[in-house]
Amino acid sequence: MKPIPITEAPADARARKAIKPVICYPTETLPRSNLAARRALRDNLELVETVIVPPRDAATWEVPAGHFCRIVCAEGPQVGDLNLFNRNDLDEKFYSGKTRALNGAHVGLGDQLFSGFPYLRPIATITHDTLDWYGFDEFGGSVHDVIGTRCDPYTNNLLSHGGQYHHCCHSNLTRAFARKTGKPLHVAETYIHDVLNVFMCTGFTRDTGQYFMKASPVRPGDYLEFFAEIDLLACMSACPGGDCSSEHSSDTAACYPMVVEIYKANRLPEGWTPPPLNGYDCSHGL
């Protein structure tokens, strides 16, 4: 929270505040996915796998390169915390911070999801979003954010003065990833990373700049769909906050299972090849 200022404003304070902002990363030269070529395949998809993510728990699944993945609201409004990994190199994983810097605080149709350094390449492209009508509300809220880190037992411990809650999204993801990879919990935990908050409605308060959440507008039948640019291992938690209308990291919210559907197209997008690793030489000036 911003404190009440103790420093007297300078004479030119208004002029300093009036300086126009500059976009940090102009994206005119960013290589973009051919969205039309990917969406052209959507009318002829074969469902190859369905995965159920239990409420207050997590599940993993694989999405081969060139396949589509839909995250579906099935029974009731529910938020999901999504991690993505390169299936063939788990050290390459989703980087929410750079995805946010290149797309915005909330992602949607046509946005690319990027992996972290030293790979930094698009690993998935969002090809459909049934909540794209929501836009931004009067509070500055929107859906599918790459702001929040994921609810976790460590922050919960601090805020609850010693609480030991084990179904935060961080713990859910850790357990599911450990089961999938065979890694011990303390190792698996180091792979869990900041998430794409699927269906979550969030923003920042205008007066204090605090991260807020509100009831998700998602309803049964809504879905977010992405195209896998590389072979992916996905891991998602059905948040213990349910639709995040009141609180998370508790057993009081109504929670629902989420459905994941993996689809194979009858062909690959025209001109498509998996994106190469980032071309920086990693010399860092030495």
Side-chain angles (χ1 to χ4, degrees), residues 113-125:
L113 308 181
F114 288 85
S115 60
F117 305 146
Y119 314 94
L120 195 62
R121 58 174 172 169
I123 58 175
T125 300

Side-chain angles (χ1 to χ4, degrees), residues 107-131:
V107 295
L109 181 64
D111 285 333
Q112 296 164 298
L113 308 181
F114 288 85
S115 60
F117 305 146
Y119 314 94
L120 195 62
R121 58 174 172 169
I123 58 175
T125 300
I126 296 176
T127 48
H128 200 76
D129 174 18
T130 65
L131 293 179

Side-chain angles (χ1 to χ4, degrees), residues 14-21:
R14 180 172 294 182
R16 295 193 202 183
K17 288 185 175 183
I19 296 173
K20 292 183 178 180

Side-chain angles (χ1 to χ4, degrees), residues 6-230:
I6 61 173
T7 306
E8 184 178 353
D12 65 343
R14 180 172 294 182
R16 295 193 202 183
K17 288 185 175 183
I19 296 173
K20 292 183 178 180
V22 176
I23 298 298
C24 293
Y25 292 102
T27 55
E28 290 80 8
T29 59
L30 181 67
R32 291 291 192 184
S33 302
N34 185 336
L35 181 61
R38 287 155 177 74
R39 285 182 55 82
L41 308 179
R42 299 183 66 255
D43 292 334
N44 195 0
L45 298 176
E46 175 192 356
L47 178 64
V48 294
E49 185 179 5
T50 301
V51 176
I52 305 298
V53 183
R56 292 190 176 85
D57 206 344
T60 60
W61 65 93
E62 296 181 2
V63 191
H67 285 53
F68 291 81
C69 176
R70 289 180 188 171
I71 299 171
V72 184
C73 175
E75 298 181 18
Q78 175 66 47
V79 164
D81 285 42
L82 178 68
N83 270 190
L84 294 174
F85 303 84
N86 178 342
R87 188 180 68 185
N88 304 308
D89 178 4
L90 297 177
D91 288 332
E92 182 179 9
K93 51 195 178 185
F94 174 59
Y95 185 6
S96 68
K98 192 59 69 177
T99 297
R100 179 173 64 248
L102 292 172
N103 293 294
H106 301 79
V107 295
L109 181 64
D111 285 333
Q112 296 164 298
L113 308 181
F114 288 85
S115 60
F117 305 146
Y119 314 94
L120 195 62
R121 58 174 172 169
I123 58 175
T125 300
I126 296 176
T127 48
H128 200 76
D129 174 18
T130 65
L131 293 179
D132 63 357
W133 56 267
Y134 192 88
F136 286 89
D137 60 35
E138 62 180 298
F139 306 101
S142 191
V143 293
H144 311 312
D145 85 69
V146 280
I147 310 169
T149 56
R150 65 202 172 275
C151 59
D152 68 273
Y154 302 101
T155 303
N156 180 71
N157 180 271
L158 290 175
L159 297 178
S160 64
H161 305 290
Q164 301 292 322
Y165 186 70
H166 305 301
H167 294 280
C168 297
C169 287
H170 178 83
S171 295
N172 295 346
L173 292 166
T174 296
R175 292 193 308 273
F177 185 77
R179 287 194 298 266
K180 176 66 175 179
T181 63
K183 297 180 183 298
L185 276 179
H186 72 279
V187 175
E189 182 176 25
T190 65
Y191 284 83
I192 302 308
H193 48 279
D194 288 353
V195 297
L196 166 55
N197 282 307
V198 179
F199 303 144
M200 192 171 184
C201 189
T202 61
F204 291 103
T205 59
R206 293 188 175 97
D207 52 352
T208 62
Q210 289 176 283
Y211 179 54
F212 71 75
M213 63 185 187
K214 55 180 292 190
S216 172
V218 71
R219 295 294 181 269
D222 283 324
Y223 64 91
L224 182 70
E225 176 190 279
F226 63 83
F227 175 85
E229 303 288 349
I230 65 172

